[in-house]
Amino acid sequence: MSQCRFEDRLSQHARVLTGPCGRIVAHTASELEAAFSHIEAARRAGHWVALVLEYELGEWLEPALLRTAPQQPALTGRRHPRLTALVFEQMQEQSPWTLGTETASETTASVTSVQAGMDKQAYLSRIHQIREWIAQGEVYQINSTFPLIVETEGDPAQLYRQIATRHPVAHAAFIEDEGRTILSFSPELFIQRTGNTLITRPMKGTAPRSPDPETDRRLGEALHASEKNRAENLMIVDLLRNDLGRLALPGSVRAEPLFLLEKYPSVWTMTSTVQAEIAPETSFAEILRALFPCGSVTGAPKIAAMKRIQETEPEPRGIYCGSLGWLAPNGDFSLNVAIRTLVLDDQGHGRYHVGGGIVYDSDPEQEWDECHWKARILNTRL
């Protein structure tokens, strides 16, 4: 039976959607309006909806990007829809999965192989090109990503338990959907609606952890004090303030706290919070059109950065840098930024993308290393 659960492992709370009763998809831009209408109807009928939104959905939500997308042959012939909404009868509140509980088998699952899907020299050349575009004034920042080719063995649900137990985050998800299984260990909130309040929490700035306490402390302090990382974080905060401003009631957008240092088992990160008040009648579709995808995974200016991403990345991002989340019958919802997310097929073959925001003073070698820090989460043999 398909499973769909969203876990906040920091507060030890999980939302588990049960009683599947529908599947809404959009394979083309022309199907999008009908999909949004069906999602709204399902919500109003009292159903819970699990949302799987691929990064490239953003091309359908922005006319300037929709015009350029057909020129990208890598974005054609896709197996999965860019928008998938799984409709369920109800939601149950549970504790997060733990090892040896629920339906978990006692045998372990593991990641057996991780290979970069892009040659290092090609990656370094791309970073130099992005720095040239920034020097020319075309963009201020571009988020540059590439896939890792992953092989696994064992039950995906057990693999999820093992990784999630070792790397607890607030926006984890486990979703099974027609031949693919999504294991998301995202620490980043994209957008959350509670009543008439929208909150987004971009994460920009990453440093590795160290097993030595003193070295680890210095790494965290250096990240928090880094002018480069603060400038990069603030750039995305400003972008999201502008995006929220398209929906917000006048004077309601505020950004606080800024530059909050967060500690995870494998990395330090820096997070800021932006929130706004919106009119009660603002629809889910209107919110997505204003905000999706999250600016923390595009760059700035957003549309210019996304156009360059279309041109330069080796394959579609798919779920990576899109969003996973839930929509409640009352209209509240929560969507993560689908980073640190492993997508597997029925044979255990998968993709796990990595990336980072590139600014003019980014060091290409260091950016390559940072991408691999972010893949440490896949090490199941510790």
Side-chain angles (χ1 to χ4, degrees):
M1 182 180 69
S2 294
Q3 302 183 73
C4 185
R5 58 191 298 122
F6 302 95
E7 299 189 334
D8 181 346
R9 287 181 162 259
L10 303 186
S11 67
Q12 290 298 300
H13 178 265
R15 288 180 172 85
V16 182
L17 306 192
T18 61
C21 59
R23 186 172 187 266
I24 301 162
V25 299
H27 286 277
T28 66
S30 62
E31 297 173 344
L32 200 53
E33 287 304 319
F36 282 136
S37 295
H38 292 318
I39 290 170
E40 180 68 7
R43 178 190 72 77
R44 290 182 179 274
H47 298 309
W48 285 75
V49 182
L51 297 157
V52 180
L53 310 177
E54 297 201 349
Y55 168 84
E56 284 79 23
L57 172 64
E59 296 174 348
W60 297 347
L61 301 175
E62 171 52 56
L65 294 167
L66 184 60
R67 285 194 295 271
T68 57
Q71 301 172 16
Q72 310 304 317
L75 300 183
T76 63
R78 301 169 59 86
R79 176 184 174 191
H80 294 289
R82 294 188 184 181
L83 179 151
T84 302
L86 306 174
V87 184
F88 292 83
E89 294 285 357
Q90 58 190 351
M91 183 274 292
Q92 296 178 353
E93 295 189 1
Q94 299 180 5
S95 296
W97 269 340
T98 58
L99 292 174
T101 64
E102 303 291 334
T103 59
S105 66
E106 294 302 321
T107 60
T108 59
S110 64
V111 173
T112 58
S113 173
V114 179
Q115 300 292 331
M118 184 177 192
D119 175 77
K120 179 180 178 180
Q121 192 55 51
Y123 174 84
L124 298 180
S125 296
R126 186 205 293 173
I127 304 308
H128 286 300
Q129 176 63 75
I130 290 172
R131 293 181 69 254
E132 287 183 19
W133 290 328
I134 294 171
Q136 293 163 6
E138 179 180 335
V139 291
Y140 306 115
Q141 181 196 81
I142 291 180
N143 188 265
S144 180
T145 80
F146 63 92
L148 301 178
I149 315 304
V150 179
E151 300 295 334
T152 68
E153 60 183 19
D155 178 17
Q158 181 70 354
L159 181 62
Y160 171 85
R161 288 174 172 86
Q162 292 173 198
I163 297 177
T165 299
R166 187 176 291 127
H167 299 272
V169 294
H171 307 287
F174 180 86
I175 300 172
E176 294 176 332
D177 172 49
E178 293 205 349
R180 65 178 170 180
T181 304
I182 305 164
L183 295 71
S184 184
F185 312 99
S186 175
E188 185 171 1
L189 173 68
F190 167 36
I191 190 75
Q192 174 183 296
R193 179 175 188 167
T194 305
N196 299 326
T197 301
L198 292 182
I199 295 177
T200 183
R201 194 169 291 123
M203 181 176 289
K204 273 295 167 191
T206 306
R209 298 289 310 279
S210 170
D212 175 68
E214 180 60 25
T215 302
D216 190 52
R217 181 187 63 80
R218 288 200 302 268
L219 287 167
E221 290 177 351
L223 172 64
H224 193 246
S226 166
E227 290 187 12
K228 170 187 176 295
N229 283 290
R230 281 178 172 249
E232 185 179 340
N233 190 291
L234 188 59
M235 192 182 304
I236 301 306
V237 167
D238 288 343
L239 186 159
L240 286 167
R241 283 170 56 93
N242 290 336
D243 282 356
L244 280 171
R246 300 166 68 181
L247 300 169
L249 298 177
S252 71
V253 180
R254 56 191 184 277
E256 58 181 2
L258 297 175
F259 314 134
L260 184 66
L261 191 65
E262 296 186 359
K263 180 169 63 174
Y264 295 93
S266 60
V267 293
W268 290 96
T269 65
M270 195 157 58
T271 301
S272 296
T273 299
V274 189
Q275 69 179 68
E277 300 299 313
I278 57 174
E281 65 273 13
T282 307
S283 70
F284 177 70
E286 289 174 311
I287 294 169
L288 276 194
R289 289 188 183 282
L291 296 171
F292 188 87
C294 183
S296 67
V297 293
T298 62
K302 188 173 185 178
I303 293 175
M306 291 181 70
K307 285 181 177 179
R308 287 303 192 184
I309 289 169
Q310 281 180 336
E311 295 172 7
T312 58
E313 297 208 346
E315 65 177 52
R317 293 181 176 185
I319 292 169
Y320 176 67
C321 290
S323 292
L324 306 167
W326 52 266
L327 171 66
N330 67 356
D332 288 355
F333 66 85
S334 181
L335 292 171
N336 74 7
V337 180
I339 56 174
R340 304 179 198 181
T341 296
L342 176 61
V343 183
L344 298 175
D345 65 18
D346 289 338
Q347 287 74 48
H349 310 308
R351 287 286 193 279
Y352 182 96
H353 286 68
V354 290
I358 308 303
V359 293
Y360 182 74
D361 54 353
S362 292
D363 176 81
E365 289 278 353
Q366 183 175 334
E367 294 295 336
W368 175 260
D369 290 342
E370 180 178 320
C371 287
H372 289 82
W373 300 339
K374 294 174 179 177
R376 288 179 181 177
I377 193 172
L378 295 176
N379 187 349
T380 56
R381 300 184 183 277
L382 295 177

